[in-house]
Amino acid sequence: MSLNITDRRRINGPQRSVEPVYTTTSPVDAFAAGGRMDGRALDQVRPIFIKTGPLDAQSLSAAAPSGSAYYEQGKIRVSCAVYGPRQGRKSSNNARMGTFDCDFKYAPFSCSWKRSHVKTSDEKEIALMLEQAVAPAIRLDAYPKASVDAFVTVIESDGKAATIAAAINCISAALADAGIELYDSVAACSMSLHSEQWVSDCSQIEENASSCSLLVARMPSADEVTYLLQHGKTTPEQTQQAIQTCANDCTRVYAVICRYLQATLE
Amino acid sequence: MEIDEAPQKVDIAARIVTPGTAITNDSAFMRGHGTFSEHDTIYSSVAGVVERINKLVSVRPLKQRYSGEIGDIIVGRITEVASKRWRVDVNSRQDGVLLLSSINLPGGIQRRKSESDELQMRTFFAEGDLVFAEVQSYFADGALSLHTRSIQYGKLRNGTLVTAFPQLVPRSRSHFHTLSCGVDVVLGVNGYIWVSKHVPASKVEANAELIYSDKNEPISDDEREAIARVANCIQLLNRLYVKITDTSIIFAYEASLVHSVKELLTHDVAVELAQNVMARLEQQA
Amino acid sequence: MASLILSPAEQDYIIRGVESGFRADGRGSLDRREVSLRTGMISQANGSARCRIGNLGVGTDVLVGVKAEVNSWTPGEPEDLGSIVCNVECSPSAAQEFEGRGAEEINVELTQLLDRILNGPQSGLDLKKLCIIPKQAYWVLHIDALVLDVKGSIVDTLVWATRAALMSTSLPRVVVETIGDEMGNMQAEFDVVDDPEDLTPLEGAENLPISVTFSQIGKRYVVDASEQEEVVTQAKLTVAVSPVMEICAIQKGGMFRGFPPSLLAEILEIAQRIAREELTRFDVHYAQAKSHLSSQADEPSTGSTFLVQF
């Protein structure tokens, strides 16, 4: 942050500091050998862990969130709290449907460089993306004039597209935990393009070396793609093929989410 | 008009003035819209043309927000549902008010009492609905009070809205026209114009319950094309600053038939059609 | 985004119309509105363009200015690249709801979208050419877009205007000298030539992608949605395609629904064809804008020319 204003609420560090440069094995070498840095197959998604319910089991006060979830995918760690349905704050034009609002924040220690305390436009945009990805799944017409709010915090990030996918999955789990009426759970997955080969669920290092990244969010039962973001150069055929593959990966992630939710109920 | 006045006062009318220009200091004149008086002089408060009717002096600006007169036929959009009334956007400086007691209710007075709570009120008009109404009176703060007590007024369906400059829609005897191509046009004096499929009046009267329905009639492709053509004609008349009356719309429609509907909004075709219409209007006059 | 409200009857009319292939203004699903494009109207900027998409002088209106500044390199930044910084702002003159902080959300969305298209190899711009002296100084291109009016299809208008602004951008020439000091170390110094006639055009701008936004209405979709059509749009898909038919960015927008995969596949196929048509249309308009600019060069530049000629 190159602001010259001193932040009086915090103890300030130096005006400008940068992340140190490390020498590591580049993933390109790993790919050449036919494997990835962590030994996964090219189409293998990182192992997922989900826990729903309050992080602190004692807090049952009225101010506690209606639902929450903690989600891990490889090194990515995301937590989400869902409040609602509660009285809508804005007097909305549309009194027939509720609203879904999302708040997204990277913790300052979550990325390989130190993040700012203040919400950047990056985080604001991701919040919008999460809203667009998850809102179609919520039965908002069942909650007129009410609002459902989701607060997502990234505790540790590893790959930008993969982290956003993890956030979407985390919100799905939290919404189910809160008992909010949904058409379906939204599952998301990401891929990156490395020299003509699409690789699923890339870590930060792998993503930095890629030429294109793709994020797909899907509702498998309703068979609808609720979010699609592609960034980088590809040919149309590659894109079509990648979207197909990514959508299949989403279905696999969806199965994992459902399994966890069922296990919690039992 | 025979008016007894000194020669220099003849110059007042049709003068173009800017805000703050002195118009006259003859105390025989009354001041109307667009003027203010200080000491004994009437000044213009807007940039426009001076109009004099008998002893009334007013200044009409080129562009002005619609200000309602009693008896105006307008089209408005419901913005809010409140207790026993609706707030209506009439393209004016204040929203108009439509009282529950001013709408057409099949069933009469008894129905009114039971339907007066907000939830029931939404079964008649909800936010976003378009209403065809008449200005009944003013409230103390200048807001217009509307009514839809006649069977021809009420909720608008089966078509699309075109927004025009209010000053291009002159007040006339009738504001509801049925064109020969099967399209109904409602010319709201406030600039909101509704273009829709023609529905015979007999059908409306037959089933009184339907007047608050949100469902459209089935509209065929030909009807849709006719509606789009008329709507585009009104758009181009509006943009090229031609008065919008049933006559000018019919002239524009007839001239437009040689072009496809979507071409009507392209610059060259629009200019050609507008010139055509103005020529015919002048011929008629 | 729209502050426009439509009654259920109006919405139904539009949706049925789109489903039978006949939109409210008579266009077919893939027909686009008229475009008005002008470049070079801001003399203080290195490049500028104004684009309006709409009919009869009313439409979505975006003004883009490009300013180039020299920045000193700091450790942590790439050593031999220039950079691009985007910013999109919606002016309250476009809609009442953009007053104060009302436009914050949409500003962020549009800025990030533009940044996604422009930052990276997919933009076609050669950032290496923007480096003046490696590890010392480089050009930063500040791309500032001002949205003056919104009548539907804001993303496409924004990308058109940005593309035209960058294509008409020219940078001052820089002279680099290597000087030796007393200890025999070689130091590079640069000097920006302050001559308004001595300019180099920005390289690679003609490789920039163009965007096509598809709006799903009912069971079908349309391109270049009008304001009313955007109210009934359930989901949007913006596809950015480069002149060599590569897909540079895809972004879904809209909160109400997702896309069924079959519709998605259809849209991606059609996107290429439409992008090709749009690029041809763009070239025609850009050439017109350039010739208009040169014919105007002899006229005195007054405030009226900015408004009247558009």
Side-chain angles (χ1 to χ4, degrees), chain A residues 154-171:
Chain A
V154 176
I155 299 167
E156 195 171 333
S157 150
D158 193 11
K160 181 167 175 186
T163 308
I164 302 174
I168 295 174
N169 296 333
C170 192
I171 299 178

Side-chain angles (χ1 to χ4, degrees), chain B residues 211-279:
Chain B
I211 58 174
Y212 293 113
S213 146
D214 283 325
K215 284 182 77 73
N216 285 337
E217 304 273 315
I219 305 178
S220 72
D221 284 349
D222 290 332
E223 287 166 335
R224 209 172 273 283
E225 188 177 333
I227 295 172
R229 189 177 283 280
V230 173
N232 283 359
C233 283
I234 299 176
Q235 278 271 29
L236 71 90
L237 289 175
N238 176 48
R239 290 298 304 163
L240 293 161
Y241 226 71
V242 180
K243 279 237 181 287
I244 300 171
T245 59
D246 56 334
T247 326
S248 62
I249 298 175
I250 293 172
F251 286 164
Y253 182 85
E254 287 168 1
S256 78
L257 288 169
V258 290
H259 301 280
S260 73
V261 179
K262 64 185 180 195
E263 276 180 348
L264 298 180
L265 293 177
T266 58
H267 186 258
D268 300 329
V269 174
V271 168
E272 178 204 319
L273 287 177
Q275 283 171 344
N276 191 316
V277 171
M278 288 201 286

Side-chain angles (χ1 to χ4, degrees), chain A residues 16 18 121-122 124-125 129 132 135-136 223-234 236 239-240 243, chain C residues 74-75 104 108-109 112 116 122 245-259 261 265 268 272:
Chain A
R16 207 198 137 81
V18 289
S121 46
D122 199 21
K124 287 182 198 164
E125 199 218 0
M129 285 189 209
Q132 289 173 350
D223 197 22
E224 261 182 29
V225 172
T226 60
Y227 200 72
L228 177 58
L229 182 70
Q230 184 251 339
H231 169 48
K233 254 200 287 209
T234 55
T239 314
Q240 291 268 33
I243 293 173
Chain C
T74 42
E104 208 180 303
V108 167
E109 195 178 343
Q112 293 293 96
R116 188 164 293 122
Q122 72 278 0
M245 292 297 121
E246 283 170 334
I247 309 248
C248 299
I250 305 178
Q251 185 162 342
K252 183 236 176 207
M255 296 247 268
F256 299 113
R257 287 202 57 185
F259 282 94
L268 285 173
Q272 289 178 69

Side-chain angles (χ1 to χ4, degrees), chain B residues 178-189:
Chain B
T178 303
L179 304 181
S180 54
C181 45
V183 175
D184 283 343
V185 177
V186 177
L187 294 170
V189 184

Side-chain angles (χ1 to χ4, degrees), chain B:
Chain B
M1 297 209 98
E2 252 76 38
I3 296 162
D4 197 15
E5 50 188 40
Q8 71 263 30
K9 287 174 194 157
V10 180
D11 293 328
I12 299 180
R15 239 179 81 198
I16 294 180
V17 290
T18 51
T21 316
I23 299 173
T24 178
N25 50 12
D26 187 342
S27 55
F29 285 102
M30 291 186 297
R31 56 171 205 85
H33 292 300
T35 62
F36 67 94
S37 69
E38 232 175 74
H39 312 302
D40 283 324
T41 318
I42 298 179
Y43 293 89
S44 158
S45 62
V46 291
V49 178
V50 178
E51 287 180 332
R52 185 185 57 73
I53 302 168
N54 281 5
K55 298 256 186 237
L56 183 71
V57 175
S58 58
V59 182
R60 184 172 52 87
L62 192 63
K63 240 205 295 190
Q64 202 181 37
R65 234 30 193 139
Y66 166 69
S67 50
E69 309 270 323
I70 295 178
D72 276 353
I73 311 290
I74 58 154
V75 173
R77 195 184 286 281
I78 307 282
T79 56
E80 199 190 310
V81 181
S83 157
K84 294 208 186 85
R85 62 175 62 186
W86 292 272
R87 288 222 155 261
V88 186
D89 163 32
V90 293
N91 201 20
S92 178
R93 57 180 174 273
Q94 266 201 67
D95 281 348
V97 176
L98 179 63
L99 296 170
L100 179 60
S101 49
S102 306
I103 70 170
N104 217 357
L105 276 183
I109 309 167
Q110 285 81 359
R111 207 103 183 257
R112 243 182 269 284
K113 282 235 168 78
S114 67
E115 312 270 14
S116 62
D117 69 322
E118 273 187 47
L119 218 57
Q120 294 291 64
M121 282 181 69
R122 281 212 171 79
T123 59
F124 303 122
F125 294 116
E127 288 94 339
D129 283 340
L130 282 172
V131 289
F132 177 23
E134 188 181 326
V135 178
Q136 184 176 44
S137 64
Y138 296 109
F139 279 93
D141 58 358
L144 300 176
S145 175
L146 309 171
H147 81 88
T148 61
R149 272 205 218 96
S150 182
I151 193 69
Q152 76 223 53
Y153 298 141
K155 199 182 276 201
L156 292 171
R157 261 191 298 286
N158 305 318
T160 181
L161 185 75
V162 179
T163 312
F165 297 120
Q167 57 268 27
L168 292 179
V169 185
R171 294 184 169 94
S172 79
R173 262 171 294 117
S174 169
H175 286 263
F176 184 92
H177 304 282
T178 303
L179 304 181
S180 54
C181 45
V183 175
D184 283 343
V185 177
V186 177
L187 294 170
V189 184
N190 59 339
Y192 287 170
I193 298 174
W194 180 253
V195 184
S196 64
K197 163 184 160 145
H198 174 66
V199 175
S202 51
K203 188 167 184 186
V204 175
E205 282 158 31
N207 196 341
E209 287 293 329
L210 279 185
I211 58 174
Y212 293 113
S213 146
D214 283 325
K215 284 182 77 73
N216 285 337
E217 304 273 315
I219 305 178
S220 72
D221 284 349
D222 290 332
E223 287 166 335
R224 209 172 273 283
E225 188 177 333
I227 295 172
R229 189 177 283 280
V230 173
N232 283 359
C233 283
I234 299 176
Q235 278 271 29
L236 71 90
L237 289 175
N238 176 48
R239 290 298 304 163
L240 293 161
Y241 226 71
V242 180
K243 279 237 181 287
I244 300 171
T245 59
D246 56 334
T247 326
S248 62
I249 298 175
I250 293 172
F251 286 164
Y253 182 85
E254 287 168 1
S256 78
L257 288 169
V258 290
H259 301 280
S260 73
V261 179
K262 64 185 180 195
E263 276 180 348
L264 298 180
L265 293 177
T266 58
H267 186 258
D268 300 329
V269 174
V271 168
E272 178 204 319
L273 287 177
Q275 283 171 344
N276 191 316
V277 171
M278 288 201 286
R280 277 182 79 178
L281 286 172
E282 257 172 69
Q283 239 180 22
Q284 211 193 32

Side-chain angles (χ1 to χ4, degrees), chain C residues 49 61-66 85-91 107 110-111 114 142-148 157-159 161-162:
Chain C
D61 199 337
V62 180
L63 176 64
V64 176
V66 180
V85 177
C86 305
N87 191 43
V88 181
E89 260 185 54
C90 292
S91 147
N107 285 347
L110 293 172
T111 305
L114 198 62
H142 291 276
I143 300 172
D144 293 293
L146 187 62
V147 177
L148 300 166
T157 317
L158 179 64
V159 175
T162 310

